[in-house]
Amino acid sequence: MTRVAHISDLHFGRTDLELLDPLIEAVNGAKPDLVAVTGDFTQRARRSQYEQSRAFLERLNAPWLAVPGNHDVSLDNLFLRFFRPYGRYREHITREMFPVHHADGLVAVGLNTVDRFRWQRGKVRWRQMRQACKIFSETDPDTICMVLAHHPFEQDDDVKKSLMRDADKAIERFSECGAHLVLSGHLHRWRAEPFLSRKNGRKVLQIHVGTGLSTRLRGQENDFAILDLEGSEARVTRMVARDRRFASAGTRLFRFGETGWREDGKEDRGEGDGQRATG
């Protein structure tokens, strides 16, 4: 079995500091094989916020894989935003803008979906998509292929933020080239289900977590996910912050078959699991 902890949108600079130690303890306590961080380490891409982000990463016991979010590119410093958008991210987090993680039974790739010209919306980088698909096509068929991206490739109708252009085409391409899961953040809300936009062929499973630490909530609690992957099964547990600690809000079981992923009953659907924000 491979265990992945998925966290996102830490937003150092606007965090609930009382949740910092509980989040680290919960992630380390889960003993994951990999921690996947899908962007927005900082609130305004300032050095002090990046230093806090790096200190957080250094407290993780497991290896981690990360991608930037739109908040990791400066909004108010236009010189940095347009001419050195990833300078501080590369300095403090990682120089890899297309990170790849190989392990027994798992290959994970990280995509940079940040668009410095459209600060919030994000974009699909087709060159990275082709690189990811090449890796997946050369991977053993029994290996789980996972994608990390900050911006979602599908979202609920009530979300006011604009979806990335060509996001539906990107999911079609990922389905065709062998991707199994896509992990994302950005919206500060929870979603775990196969992509609805995949009408034909193999359905890809999306795991979309909210914010691990930020006070900028969207009608839901701070949370992260624990994914237990084994063979054709994926158990997805939502870990929610309540009473200053992170605890399970329920686990959902998905199975992979000829048409992709489908939910197989409800394993311990805890309070709050699967709920969607309306604001």
Side-chain angles (χ1 to χ4, degrees):
M1 182 186 76
T2 299
R3 171 166 284 186
V4 177
H6 175 204
I7 59 179
S8 194
D9 295 81
L10 300 172
H11 286 282
F12 281 101
R14 190 169 177 177
T15 57
D16 184 344
L17 292 178
E18 292 187 11
L19 291 179
L20 177 59
D21 287 342
L23 177 60
I24 293 172
E25 291 168 4
V27 172
N28 287 339
K31 298 181 178 179
D33 300 290
L34 177 70
V35 179
V37 191
T38 52
D40 276 2
F41 284 89
T42 69
Q43 178 65 15
R44 282 292 178 261
R46 294 188 168 87
R47 287 192 180 276
S48 60
Q49 296 168 8
Y50 268 119
E51 289 168 356
Q52 291 177 291
S53 303
R54 186 69 204 186
F56 173 88
L57 292 174
E58 290 179 353
R59 293 180 66 184
L60 298 177
N61 294 336
W64 51 266
L65 195 73
V67 294
N70 58 299
H71 278 263
D72 297 324
V73 171
S74 181
L75 176 64
D76 47 9
N77 187 323
L78 296 184
F79 175 82
L80 288 180
R81 178 179 170 188
F82 292 118
F83 296 103
R84 296 187 67 247
Y86 309 110
R88 291 177 178 174
Y89 178 86
R90 289 175 180 268
E91 178 183 353
H92 294 280
I93 306 300
T94 177
R95 298 193 64 82
E96 296 292 334
M97 303 306 292
F98 180 73
V100 181
H101 175 84
H102 290 276
D104 290 341
L106 174 71
V107 60
V109 300
L111 304 184
N112 176 15
T113 58
V114 176
D115 186 348
R116 65 184 126 169
F117 302 106
R118 295 182 178 181
W119 185 75
Q120 187 179 88
R121 184 177 185 182
K123 70 176 182 180
V124 176
R125 285 178 168 81
W126 290 101
R127 181 178 179 182
Q128 288 195 345
M129 290 279 298
R130 290 191 293 271
Q131 288 178 288
C133 282
K134 185 176 186 297
I135 291 172
F136 295 157
S137 66
E138 296 172 349
T139 298
D140 184 283
D142 294 328
T143 297
I144 293 290
C145 296
M146 177 183 295
V147 175
L148 279 64
H150 178 63
H151 294 83
F153 291 85
E154 184 175 88
Q155 58 195 34
D156 297 324
D157 292 338
D158 65 318
V159 173
K160 296 179 181 179
K161 293 182 178 179
S162 298
L163 186 66
M164 290 189 296
R165 188 175 65 180
D166 294 333
D168 55 343
K169 294 180 181 178
I171 285 301
E172 295 289 321
R173 182 71 186 103
F174 274 140
S175 175
E176 293 165 357
C177 74
H180 295 97
L181 299 102
V182 174
L183 279 53
S184 57
H186 187 54
L187 301 180
H188 293 207
R189 56 198 284 168
W190 171 267
R191 193 180 190 190
E193 61 185 86
F195 280 90
L196 299 176
S197 61
R198 183 61 202 163
K199 303 301 183 184
N200 301 304
R202 213 169 56 101
K203 289 188 175 180
V204 180
L205 181 61
Q206 62 173 320
I207 308 298
H208 187 88
V209 297
T211 169
L213 291 175
S214 177
T215 58
R216 300 176 69 233
L217 301 174
R218 297 290 186 265
Q220 297 186 2
E221 301 111 323
N222 296 90
D223 68 10
F224 73 97
I226 296 174
L227 285 63
D228 290 316
L229 310 172
E230 186 171 17
S232 60
E233 293 185 354
R235 285 179 169 81
V236 182
T237 301
R238 185 185 183 204
M239 300 292 291
V240 168
R242 293 172 183 164
D243 298 323
R244 298 304 174 190
R245 72 183 188 93
F246 285 84
S248 171
T251 299
R252 297 170 65 183
L253 173 63
F254 297 89
R255 294 187 187 275
F256 187 81
E258 291 184 0
T259 60
W261 295 95
R262 63 178 177 82
E263 188 166 6
D264 190 4
K266 294 176 179 146
E267 288 196 345
D268 183 26
R269 274 295 274 277
E271 181 183 356
D273 185 44
Q275 292 180 350
R276 300 179 184 173
T278 57

